[in-house]
Amino acid sequence: MIRQVRCECGFTARGSTDDEVITLILAHVGQDHPHLAAVETADDVRGWIELVPE
């Protein structure tokens, strides 16, 4: 199963591990949503991860 998180802006981060997806989303938030970068944490993102078929 692939892990993914979809941002409200339409960006989707996909990876084979939770840590990979968390890294991608935190980088995306820092670049595209800097006002949220200090608010959203890795633990927050971990709760958003969904499993999808490959």
Side-chain angles (χ1 to χ4, degrees), residues 15-37:
S16 57
T17 68
D18 288 358
D19 289 339
E20 188 177 349
V21 174
I22 289 167
T23 299
L24 291 170
I25 284 293
L26 290 177
H28 166 69
V29 169
Q31 182 175 355
D32 294 345
H33 310 289
H35 61 285
L36 296 175

Side-chain angles (χ1 to χ4, degrees), residues 3-54:
R3 285 136 173 85
Q4 78 175 19
V5 170
R6 293 183 187 187
C7 182
E8 292 179 357
C9 74
F11 175 81
T12 300
R14 289 183 162 200
S16 57
T17 68
D18 288 358
D19 289 339
E20 188 177 349
V21 174
I22 289 167
T23 299
L24 291 170
I25 284 293
L26 290 177
H28 166 69
V29 169
Q31 182 175 355
D32 294 345
H33 310 289
H35 61 285
L36 296 175
V39 178
E40 304 301 346
T41 67
D43 286 335
D44 293 328
V45 176
R46 191 175 308 281
W48 305 337
I49 294 173
E50 58 183 347
L51 298 175
V52 295
E54 291 187 44

